[in-house]
Amino acid sequence: MIPASFDYVRPQSLEDALARLGEHGDDARVLAGGHSLLPVMKARLADPGVLVDIAGIESLSGISESEDGITIGAMTTHAEIEASASVQGRCRSLAEAAAAIGDVQVRNRGTLGGSLAHADPAADYPAVILAANAEITVAGADGERVIAADDFFTGTYETALGAGEIITSVRIRASAARGSSAYLKAAQQASGFAVCGVAARVALDADGAVERIRVGVTGVAATAYRATSVEDALTGAAPSAESIRKAAATAGEGVDALDDFYAGADFRRHLAGVYAARAIGKAWIRAAGE
Amino acid sequence: MAQAPKFIGAPIKRRDDPRLIQGLAHYVDDFNPPGTLHMACARSPYGKANIRSVDVSKAAAADGVVAVYTYEETKGIGPVPVGAVLPDAKVPVQPILADKQVLFAGEPVVAVIAETRYGALDAAALVEIDYEPLDAVVDLEAAIEPGSTKVHDDYESNEAFKWGLAGGDVEAGMKEADVIVKEKMTNVRVAPLALEPRGVLAHYLPGEDKMTLWTSTQVPHKVRTLVAGQIGMPENRMRVIAPEVGGGFGSKLNIYREEALAAFVTRELGVPIKWVESRSENFLTTIHGRGQVGEIEMGLKRDGTITAFRYNVLADCGAYYQLLTLAIFTLTGLMLPGPYKIDNIEMNATGVFTNKVATDAYRGAGRPEATYILERMMDIAAVELGMDPVELRRKNFPDKSEFPFGTSAGLSYDSGDYHLALDRALEAADYPAMRAQQEEARNDGRYLGIGFSTYVEICGMGPSAALGGQGWESARVRVEPTGKATVFSGASPHGQGQQTSFAQIVADGLGIDANDVTVVHGDTDVVPYGVGTFGSRGTVVGGSAVVYARDKVRAKMAKFAAMEFEADENDIEFEDGRVFVRSAPEKSAGFADIAMMAYSAIALPEDTDPGLEETHFFEPSNFTFPFGTHIVLVEVDPETGDVEILRYVAVDDVGNMINPLLVHGQIHGGIAQGTGQALEEEMLYGEGGQPLNASFMHYALPKANRLPRFELLHTTTPTDVNPLGAKGVGEAGTIGSTPAVVNAVIDALSPFGITHIDMPLRPERVWRAIAEKRA
């Protein structure tokens, strides 16, 4: 299929882009890498009158490092994130999630901001964003605001992003001194999307006990979520393979899971437990070793 | 040939590759004659629906729309041709555009002709069709139940036909058995998914009363004869060109509605009409493969001797037949005994209509189904008998001294040494070490499995009488005045690489360089009437025609050389671009000098005409029967159901190889596709007959990262059915791989007591099978 006809603008500044969005209202959609929006348009499930391409806005791209974290421009591609030494060093699970997206072509074009704004329930990043407690900076007609990860994903393809707002950057604090993270997924064989993806971020205290842990799960439910039961069970004690396995098993419990021909709800809930155990185990070993 | 072959057998790189890789090839969509109009179709979104009304006014009024066609304007076009017939089969008439009812999702209802492709698609979306959705027939087994919803209102049931094949006495064989193993198995519907979807460009020139039809096909001459017939045009006024064709896998061994439609419209409008299939349309409207559900019974003696094999099967036809729909499962029946001595066999097939696109030939076409059920049953029986699967197979192989080997299905296998192929594979895999590795892994809580498939397949389609006509192939070889040679083949390669291998064949016979040979195919105005490329016949039958045509030209050249050298024509040799007298090599001339003599024709040998151009139609005396052993090592993750292929060892005996690189390419692709069917592929339909996974986002094709490095070996048992001794290789990989992969997974899961899981072995299915056993 081919999309219905539409107008296309490519502003060179954020201000101009916001103005265009204000001008066209609901008829406009922001075009980032295009890897989610264009397929939907080709299937004629979306029919925007105007595409506002933000690829020309230089300030939205790139990764910067500060003492306590990293800030990633919304238009930074998956490939750039995957290859970034800063990301690998400070939030390894994000680099792993980026590397697990689609294929080389998708990773060369698709962007962090585009993926987050689209909020596909099977996208990889949301698990990491939740586990890393990231902050999402957005700009709109009234200026900038920061949305916490826990508040960002509100439903299937739904976010806390307001009308006419554009994601400008994502900020992630660096892992703790004795901390690390990991992302693992079961990919749908055709699309590569996550049937179940789990990101775990662990900080250990001096004695090796879990000081903080956050576990994000994507692909399993209509919206990415934090497996708080798992986090609670593991916080405060020194982990073992057995305690992780036992705690992680609850990662999918009681979740209203997605159900399709490829993976039924019970299978997805089961996978959440399996992948939570594996991701936490990996993050723990890294944290203990680093 | 007196001298040793220089090019035949050499691993020469495909000469097509540079243009394919660089994007310099010309597919149907790359041709854009001035004034081309574009066609798009409004298609049914329903599996079955009544069409209450069709309103094309908005579409017709849209920008750039030139014409709109419905059933009314196109009912004069003949229905979609059905080539294979069976006695008593119900044969529904498949119209070009639907009239009162649509019977599968994707069925075209209205064709819109516009100045641009986008314009045509936009306008097709404006066609207003008032549908009354009806219950659709989706499930094969439910469809045949009494009282089922029907696909065709005017038939009594969904039974399309009954067909049976029997050899020996199965009842007696079952009585003789010590053990009878039974299983129900499914070969799911899969989509062939050639990289290039279908496409057609039809250009009628009213002044000349001639039409050129470019179409992405495996069978240009069949298209010409049949499409010309559909639109009532003499076939010699139509030229069909299959330009670069980006794969077919059997799906383009067919005549489709859009070909006749484009041909009809260009004659009406007098301008070129182009239609190029989208991937979505490809999933919906290009034929599917497989589609069998059956119950199998196999009787064995305690010592492993197979006494009887029975297959009662439902075959999914779809709503209408395409060209060979009715032939595919007969190949399943013919190959039911596989590589084993099974004296008593029986297949009872019931064809079933469903509200889906037709099934037809897909790489292997009926044989993978037979090999799959047989090889699965061998493993099930081995477990039952407590025998090693290797020993059970070996026990039932015919010895090489028994060839030609007559089977209970009525075939005569030309040649074979099944023990040798098995031995070679076991050695390459180091089978005892593999079993030890499996044992060790199990002790660590890991699940490794070893899967076998010892297969034989039927290739080189085939003797004309056995095929119901057109089992031959044609070739013309011309030596040009300058000493270059040109091959005109009636075969129609679409990725197989015969532009290279046919050049090798001709180069050797004429003693010239392969680079001096050009191969032309796929143009009905240029090549002799041909049959096409399918059923692993391109080289076996088409290449043999090349051999004979080449030898005729060579014999004629020898006469000119004999005249020149005052020697006996039987004493003339061709080597390294020279023609000389064998007994007096100083009498020598350049190959091109002799060629020019034949064209200048100033002097002619006795009873010899000018020119060097000879045609041959080759009729094979039998099919060929390639065979081999595939061994697969997998690891299954019991927590996630993931299957990883760790090793893949294949020994394929395809007879003499013209070009081992091409052979390996075919086996690589075949293994990949067969593995896809085993692990991932399946066309799924919802209750209303709408496909659930008709896109690459949902339908998984096997990807390189899911496959290991293939370890390919060969044994070489030539055939005497053709002068090349070649058996064919196009389908061996798909036939051998599917059961080998499934057998490996089931072997891995044997500690859970699992003996069978239906394909595709997607993670959830594997996990569920384990969970059920654990419960």
Side-chain angles (χ1 to χ4, degrees):
Chain A
M1 289 283 284
I2 54 168
S5 63
F6 55 86
D7 288 331
Y8 170 88
V9 293
R10 190 180 161 98
Q12 300 299 310
S13 71
L14 185 59
E15 293 68 30
D16 189 13
L18 292 169
R20 296 296 191 131
L21 289 178
E23 182 187 334
H24 296 286
D26 288 349
D27 199 30
R29 290 287 296 269
V30 176
L31 176 69
H35 276 63
S36 300
L37 180 57
L38 295 184
V40 169
M41 288 171 61
K42 284 165 100 176
R44 302 211 170 180
L45 298 172
D47 189 11
V50 184
L51 288 189
V52 179
D53 184 350
I54 56 171
I57 306 170
E58 272 178 34
S59 62
L60 296 181
S61 286
I63 299 164
S64 61
E65 216 172 335
S66 61
E67 203 139 296
D68 60 343
I70 42 173
T71 302
I72 304 166
M75 287 299 287
T76 310
T77 65
H78 311 318
E80 288 162 348
I81 292 170
E82 172 188 357
S84 159
S86 301
V87 177
Q88 285 166 11
R90 305 204 159 208
C91 185
R92 202 155 159 189
S93 54
L94 185 67
E96 287 176 332
I101 295 171
D103 52 35
V104 173
Q105 291 88 334
V106 171
R107 295 197 289 276
N108 279 334
R109 294 287 305 172
T111 65
L112 173 64
S115 174
L116 294 181
H118 186 60
D120 190 304
D124 294 291
Y125 286 134
V128 177
I129 295 298
L130 289 172
N133 200 10
E135 293 165 342
I136 295 134
T137 304
V138 305
D142 303 331
E144 273 195 357
R145 66 186 178 115
V146 173
I147 306 173
D150 285 339
D151 301 329
F152 188 77
F153 302 103
T154 56
T156 303
Y157 303 116
E158 286 175 12
T159 66
L161 208 54
E165 283 185 324
I166 295 174
I167 299 175
T168 56
S169 67
V170 174
R171 186 180 144 71
I172 294 176
R173 272 184 294 271
S175 295
R178 293 199 70 196
S180 191
S181 66
Y183 176 74
L184 290 171
K185 78 191 268 199
Q188 211 274 17
Q189 285 164 341
S191 66
F193 272 93
V195 171
C196 170
V198 178
R201 190 159 150 124
V202 179
L204 303 176
D205 66 18
D207 303 325
V210 175
E211 194 170 273
R212 285 189 312 277
I213 177 168
R214 285 174 69 106
V215 179
V217 182
T218 188
V220 172
T223 309
Y225 64 93
R226 274 175 63 201
T228 47
S229 63
V230 182
E231 298 171 1
D232 293 346
L234 289 170
T235 304
S240 67
E242 180 56 25
S243 72
I244 290 172
R245 196 192 57 74
K246 204 172 150 197
T250 64
E253 261 177 26
V255 172
D256 185 7
L258 298 171
D259 190 305
D260 63 20
F261 75 86
Y262 188 82
D266 56 343
F267 183 48
R268 284 179 202 260
R269 282 192 289 265
H270 163 80
L271 287 179
V274 172
Y275 279 89
R278 292 181 182 184
I280 295 166
K282 203 166 182 177
W284 169 48
I285 287 166
R286 285 174 178 170
E290 281 169 7
Chain B
M1 283 169 276
Q3 70 274 24
K6 199 168 155 186
F7 295 102
I8 292 179
I12 296 172
K13 283 185 184 169
R14 287 157 45 106
R15 49 172 67 160
D16 341 25
D17 286 350
R19 72 170 181 273
L20 296 176
I21 292 165
Q22 295 174 84
L24 297 173
H26 287 83
Y27 300 87
V28 170
D29 202 14
D30 294 312
F31 294 90
N32 292 296
T36 297
L37 299 181
H38 298 262
M39 180 168 82
C41 293
R43 297 176 184 277
S44 169
Y46 300 105
K48 183 174 181 181
N50 287 328
I51 299 173
R52 290 201 194 98
S53 66
V54 176
D55 182 352
V56 302
S57 54
K58 280 185 194 155
D63 272 357
V65 170
V66 176
V68 180
Y69 292 89
T70 67
Y71 172 81
E72 273 309 311
E73 293 82 34
T74 56
K75 63 187 176 190
I77 305 175
V80 177
V82 174
V85 288
L86 280 179
D88 302 327
K90 296 191 199 104
V91 184
V93 173
Q94 181 173 187
I96 301 305
L97 292 171
D99 179 18
K100 297 274 190 287
Q101 256 188 1
V102 285
L103 296 184
F104 64 92
E107 182 168 4
V109 183
V110 175
V112 177
I113 312 297
E115 286 165 3
T116 64
R117 188 168 182 222
Y118 277 32
L121 286 164
D122 282 344
L126 295 174
V127 173
E128 291 173 348
I129 303 169
D130 184 14
Y131 291 105
E132 178 194 356
L134 301 170
D135 287 345
V137 177
V138 175
D139 183 76
L140 197 48
E141 292 172 275
I144 208 70
E145 291 294 325
S148 162
T149 304
K150 289 189 294 180
V151 173
H152 296 280
D153 292 345
D154 45 352
Y155 292 153
E156 274 176 26
S157 72
N158 291 318
E159 183 183 304
F161 62 82
K162 280 208 181 288
W163 180 84
L165 179 128
D169 184 339
V170 159
E171 273 313 309
M174 290 292 175
K175 281 195 185 117
E176 208 186 313
D178 297 320
V179 172
I180 294 177
V181 285
K182 299 180 185 183
E183 187 57 68
K184 182 178 160 187
M185 294 185 196
T186 303
N187 266 282
V188 294
R189 249 184 195 254
V190 292
L193 299 173
L195 280 182
E196 183 211 13
R198 292 185 292 123
V200 57
L201 168 64
H203 189 186
Y204 178 69
L205 298 171
E208 287 88 340
D209 187 24
K210 267 215 84 174
M211 186 186 299
T212 304
L213 191 81
W214 291 262
T215 183
S216 184
T217 185
Q218 302 173 225
V219 284
H221 279 93
K222 281 190 204 296
V223 170
R224 188 182 71 150
T225 301
L226 293 169
V227 172
Q230 282 178 281
I231 63 163
M233 191 172 184
E235 70 168 309
N236 60 353
R237 309 303 300 171
M238 184 183 281
R239 173 187 189 179
V240 172
I241 298 174
E244 200 82 64
V245 174
F249 309 120
S251 72
K252 294 173 183 171
L253 159 54
N254 233 308
I255 314 296
Y256 288 97
R257 298 187 194 211
E258 293 86 355
E259 286 167 325
L261 203 49
F264 174 83
V265 174
T266 185
R267 210 154 59 136
E268 290 245 312
L269 302 182
V271 292
I273 301 295
K274 182 190 275 191
W275 173 80
V276 174
E277 191 182 46
S278 69
R279 183 57 68 187
S280 309
E281 289 175 310
N282 184 249
F283 271 101
L284 291 169
T285 68
T286 294
I287 62 103
H288 292 160
R290 318 287 188 257
Q292 294 185 3
V293 179
E295 289 179 358
I296 308 119
E297 271 180 276
M298 181 159 78
L300 304 102
K301 305 287 265 182
R302 274 270 157 239
D303 69 357
T305 307
I306 304 166
T307 60
F309 192 89
R310 179 188 279 136
Y311 185 35
N312 293 331
V313 60
L314 301 178
D316 184 350
C317 297
Y320 297 105
Y321 307 132
Q322 285 283 341
L323 197 64
L324 300 177
T325 302
L326 289 174
I328 303 309
F329 57 88
T330 63
L331 286 169
T332 307
L334 288 173
M335 292 316 294
L336 221 46
Y340 309 118
K341 298 205 277 189
I342 309 179
D343 292 337
N344 308 303
I345 62 132
E346 187 182 300
M347 172 159 151
N348 302 299
T350 303
V352 183
F353 291 120
T354 55
N355 287 113
K356 302 173 189 172
V357 69
T359 56
D360 203 309
Y362 167 55
R363 201 171 192 174
R367 295 100 91 200
E369 293 90 317
T371 304
Y372 174 72
I373 60 165
L374 181 60
E375 289 304 295
R376 275 272 51 236
M377 289 307 284
M378 292 302 281
D379 269 28
I380 290 171
V383 170
E384 182 70 25
L385 293 169
M387 281 178 83
D388 188 287
V390 172
E391 290 320 304
L392 179 61
R393 285 171 168 82
R394 211 188 275 289
K395 173 89 190 163
N396 290 283
F397 281 162
D399 187 73
K400 66 177 178 185
S401 64
E402 293 177 70
F403 288 87
F405 177 72
T407 78
S408 54
L411 294 173
S412 174
Y413 293 175
D414 53 348
S415 62
D417 188 346
Y418 301 162
H419 287 285
L420 182 65
L422 176 59
D423 289 340
R424 192 67 54 83
L426 291 170
E427 192 188 332
D430 195 350
Y431 183 47
M434 226 182 224
R435 283 283 179 216
Q437 183 186 354
Q438 179 184 35
E439 189 59 35
E440 202 175 309
R442 274 186 192 164
N443 294 335
D444 293 342
R446 291 168 53 211
Y447 294 84
L448 268 59
I450 302 163
F452 287 88
S453 158
T454 54
Y455 74 91
V456 59
E457 60 146 334
I458 181 169
C459 279
M461 310 276 160
S464 297
L467 279 192
Q470 297 207 349
W472 46 267
E473 194 51 271
S474 66
R476 186 163 72 235
V477 173
R478 181 201 295 157
V479 172
E480 311 287 354
T482 48
K484 307 292 183 189
T486 308
V487 181
F488 302 88
S489 172
S492 199
H494 44 282
Q496 288 82 357
Q498 271 115 358
Q499 291 189 356
T500 308
S501 57
F502 284 1
Q504 292 175 256
I505 290 171
V506 167
D508 268 350
L510 299 180
I512 57 178
D513 193 276
N515 288 322
D516 288 333
V517 185
T518 290
V519 179
V520 179
H521 56 75
D523 184 340
T524 61
D525 265 12
V526 175
V527 304
Y529 198 96
V531 175
T533 293
F534 55 90
S536 301
R537 70 192 308 277
T539 298
V540 175
V541 189
S544 295
V546 172
V547 169
Y548 285 113
R550 171 202 76 188
D551 287 352
K552 285 180 186 173
V553 173
R554 176 189 158 107
K556 190 168 180 184
M557 279 188 87
K559 287 187 182 183
F560 281 94
M563 177 181 73
E564 174 71 9
F565 301 137
E566 297 178 339
D568 188 315
E569 63 192 80
N570 295 312
D571 199 18
I572 301 299
E573 198 58 79
F574 295 73
E575 206 176 306
D576 292 337
R578 306 292 298 171
V579 183
F580 58 94
V581 180
R582 193 179 299 117
S583 56
E586 71 283 3
K587 292 185 177 176
S588 161
F591 183 82
D593 299 328
I594 303 295
M596 188 57 88
M597 283 176 61
Y599 284 95
S600 71
I602 292 162
L604 289 170
E606 204 176 335
D607 297 330
T608 303
D609 299 318
L612 292 171
E613 183 163 334
E614 298 290 338
T615 302
H616 190 87
F617 284 66
F618 173 72
E619 169 66 30
S621 58
N622 189 6
F623 299 101
T624 56
F625 296 88
F627 59 91
T629 296
H630 289 203
I631 304 179
V632 181
L633 179 69
V634 301
E635 176 161 6
V636 180
D637 182 332
E639 285 192 307
T640 62
D642 288 332
V643 173
E644 187 186 358
I645 301 176
L646 302 177
R647 277 187 78 187
Y648 199 113
V649 177
V651 175
D652 294 285
D653 192 320
V654 299
N656 290 333
M657 293 187 278
I658 312 304
N659 184 332
L661 271 187
L662 297 185
V663 169
H664 281 199
Q666 286 281 5
I667 294 174
H668 275 244
I671 291 173
Q673 270 183 315
T675 301
Q677 190 192 345
L679 299 180
E680 301 172 1
E681 296 187 47
E682 177 180 25
M683 276 309 299
L684 291 162
Y685 288 81
E687 266 182 30
Q690 285 101 348
L692 299 177
N693 57 346
S695 86
F696 281 141
M697 284 293 279
H698 302 96
Y699 186 102
L701 281 183
K703 299 188 179 75
N705 64 357
R706 303 252 302 140
L707 297 163
R709 188 178 67 83
F710 300 132
E711 301 167 56
L712 303 186
L713 297 93
H714 301 279
T715 58
T716 303
T717 312
T719 179
D720 58 9
V721 170
N722 62 63
L724 291 166
K727 289 193 161 196
V729 67
E731 296 153 294
T734 39
I735 290 167
S737 61
T738 306
V741 171
V742 174
N743 281 342
V745 175
I746 302 299
D747 184 55
L749 300 178
S750 60
F752 295 103
I754 290 168
T755 55
H756 183 69
I757 307 174
D758 264 329
M759 297 186 286
L761 304 181
R762 286 195 300 260
E764 179 175 20
R765 221 174 256 197
V766 172
W767 170 75
R768 221 169 268 291
I770 297 169
E772 274 169 23
K773 290 290 179 183
R774 275 177 168 165

